[in-house]
């Protein structure tokens, strides 16, 4: 590699200025479409520093590549950490001409070659690309619904041909980058990837996890703490993966870390590959109180799903239109038989126990109702002119053009839900022991929107409540004791520390405390032959 005429630090400073100015010319939507969130150089240097001793052990010359180089934050970091003498070769690929040109201007004299174009096509079509032995990458985080169908099929086909992995259609572009780049790398080379941590928990991640446990030697998986915005919001749900392109030695353990920095994580644990292969969710590692996602249930023993049917609340298609205050509905003379009590959104719900008035409406202010009518239009018009008149206003306000509303028949009939005894809010924040979601004891006939999960006692718990209705209060108290750690462990976390939990995830929370309190639950289950656990 050529001798360096310029100083890397001054070029890095120029790079940062150019990065800012190019970012400034693009809208958020445009940056999202191409997954353009540059790696802060301090993080790129941290990552390169972590990899350095692994490579040093082999004392090899470095052939660097970044498949989506942007302005070259990782190349700059590699120069800083390895020095130009050790870099035999360096190549960066970039789709966006503005970034490709900038990287070329900045780094050509430091020996970086830039290839303009789509990496996923270049890697599939070019047989003469020299194989790198070091990858440092932050691939585009383009979500699957922004990848058009033909492209997705091409990507799936290329991944299958080059790696033998069948990629789930819900996977984002970064999954293809990870697989295709690894196929391109030299055997025994090292790679460090800054990618969304989502694959660790979701279904589409299964094939990626299998790839990481079986095909390469996973050395380190670090997850940033979503509560810690040290690198800005763009990286809060990110992970760094470091691996060697070599089959894992038997008995291999990967180091899982969480929080802090790569060099100084807040929690760390070595996890044997056989455990990783059996684990549905990888974010529960390291199994340490400092991890925001550690679970207690581990999939053994009774779970909430054994005792509750958990269902999402209704999606009305347009809450502003279909949900009215009871007073407003009365004023408009809407027929009570086609109005159902419904709870306000969690933001406006301060109470955790909801009492009922004599009509079943929640005793909270304001009382709300949802229009839910199954009469065909001609009957509705004839029999309930006031309701009909209100429904006519949907036309001009665009309510009827909505996807959900358009699919229903009649369009003002809601999904059917019985009132439920307990609810859990569907999203929320909360660190450490604070529950991100709230459990609510509902003694009214109010149903709920999809901002809540609805919990219906079933099996042995339903039998017990039949015999001891007074225990409903203690059940609520036990639900409220589920730890924040456990809820976060089952749910999923989004940028900025927002947590969400799906019905099946809530169903997997441990219900050991219910059985400890009422061991007869086991007996009820046996007596009634209701399947339990
Ligand atoms: C998350 S950014 C990272 C940039 C740079 N590696 C860094 O760490 O700062 C991803 C980059 O990939 C580029 N990109 C998107 N799709 C690409 C593709 N199909 N082939 C090559 N580059 C692509 C984007 O323009 C963007 O510069």
């Amino acid at each position: 590699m050529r001798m360096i005429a310029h100083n890397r630090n001054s070029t890095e400073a120029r790079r940062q200025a150019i990065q800012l100015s190019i970012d400034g010319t693009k809208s958020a939507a445009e940056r999202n479409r191409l997954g353009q969130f540059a790696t802060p150089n301090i993080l790129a240097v941290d990552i390169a520093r972590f990899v350095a001793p692994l490579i040093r052990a082999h004392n090899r010359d470095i052939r660097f590549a970044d498949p989506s180089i942007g302005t070259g934050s990782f190349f700059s970091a590699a120069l800083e950490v390895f020095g130009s003498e050790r870099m035999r070769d360096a190549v960066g690929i970039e789709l966006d001409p503005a970034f490709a040109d900038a990287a070329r201007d900045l780094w050509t004299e430091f020996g970086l070659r830039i290839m303009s174009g789509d990496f996923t096509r270049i890697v599939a079509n070019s047989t003469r690309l020299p194989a790198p032995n070091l990858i440092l990458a932050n691939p585009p985080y383009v979500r699957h619904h922004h990848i058009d169908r033909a492209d997705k099929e091409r990507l799936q086909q290329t991944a299958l041909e080059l790696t033998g992995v069948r990629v789930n259609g819900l996977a984002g572009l970064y999954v293809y980058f990870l697989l295709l780049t690894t196929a391109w790398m030299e055997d025994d080379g090292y790679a460090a990837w800054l990618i969304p941590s989502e694959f660790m928990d979701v279904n589409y991640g299964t094939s990626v996890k299998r790839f990481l446990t079986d095909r390469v030697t996973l050395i380190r998986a670090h997850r940033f703490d979503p509560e810690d915005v040290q690198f800005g919001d763009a990286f809060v749900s990110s992970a760094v993966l470091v691996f060697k392109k070599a089959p894992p030695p038997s008995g291999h353990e990967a180091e899982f870390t969480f929080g802090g920095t790569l060099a100084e994580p807040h929690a760390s644990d070595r996890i044997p590959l056989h455990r990783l292969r059996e684990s549905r969710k990888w974010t529960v590692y390291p199994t340490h109180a400092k991890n925001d996602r550690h679970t207690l249930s581990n999939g053994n023993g009774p779970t909430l799903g054994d005792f509750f049917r958990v269902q999402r609340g209704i999606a009305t298609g347009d809450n502003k239109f279909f949900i009215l205050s009871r007073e407003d509905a009365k004023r408009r003379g809407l027929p009570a038989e086609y109005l159902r009590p419904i709870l306000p959104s969690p933001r406006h719900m301060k109470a955790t126990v909801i009492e009922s008035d004599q009509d079943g409406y929640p005793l909270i202010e304001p009382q709300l109702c949802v229009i839910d009518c199954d009469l065909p239009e001609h009957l509705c018009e004839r029999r309930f002119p006031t309701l009909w008149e209100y429904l006519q206003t949907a036309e001009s306000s665009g309510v009827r053009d909505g996807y959900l509303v358009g699919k229903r028949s009649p369009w003002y009939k809601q999904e059917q839900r019985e009132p439920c005894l307990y609810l859990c809010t569907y999203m929320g924040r909360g660190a450490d022991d604070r529950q991100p979601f709230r459990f609510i004891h509902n003694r009214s006939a109010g149903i709920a929107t999809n901002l809540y999960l609805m919990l219906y006692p079933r099996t042995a718990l339903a039998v017990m409540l039949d015999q001891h209705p007074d225990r409903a209060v203690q059940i609520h108290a036990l639900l409220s004791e589920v730890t924040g750690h456990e809820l976060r462990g089952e749910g999923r976390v989004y940028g900025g520390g927002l947590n969400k939990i799906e019905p099946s995830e809530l169903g997997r929370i441990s219900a050991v405390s219910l059985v400890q309190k009422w061991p007869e639950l086991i007996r009820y289950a046996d007596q009634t032959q209701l399947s339990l656990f």
Side-chain angles (χ1 to χ4, degrees), residues 34-39 66 68-69 74 94-95 118-119 138-140:
L34 281 181
Q36 295 178 321
F37 289 94
T39 313
D66 179 342
S68 52
I69 190 128
F74 276 114
E94 175 57 52
L95 182 62
D118 178 342
F119 165 72
N138 169 7

Side-chain angles (χ1 to χ4, degrees), residues 20 22 31 64 113 115 120 126 181 186 200 204 218 222 238 274 281 301 307 340 347 370 434 468 480 495 519:
L20 274 179
I22 301 179
R31 288 176 68 193
F64 166 94
R113 277 180 302 125
M115 296 175 78
T120 64
S126 169
T181 308
E186 186 178 279
M200 292 188 170
Y204 80 69
L218 181 61
H222 176 81
S238 298
H274 69 84
K281 293 201 169 195
F307 293 122
R340 303 197 62 185
R347 256 188 316 140
V370 57
R434 249 190 69 210
H468 306 279
S480 305

Side-chain angles (χ1 to χ4, degrees), residues 470-504:
D470 52 305
R471 291 185 181 171
V473 176
Q474 287 158 291
I475 293 171
H476 179 230
L478 287 178
L479 287 174
S480 305
E481 279 171 18
V482 175
T483 67
H485 283 301
E486 209 182 353
L487 287 169
R488 277 190 299 277
E490 284 302 342
R492 49 194 67 189
V493 70
Y494 291 80
L498 180 69
N499 294 272
K500 292 188 185 170
I501 193 158
E502 302 298 330
S504 58

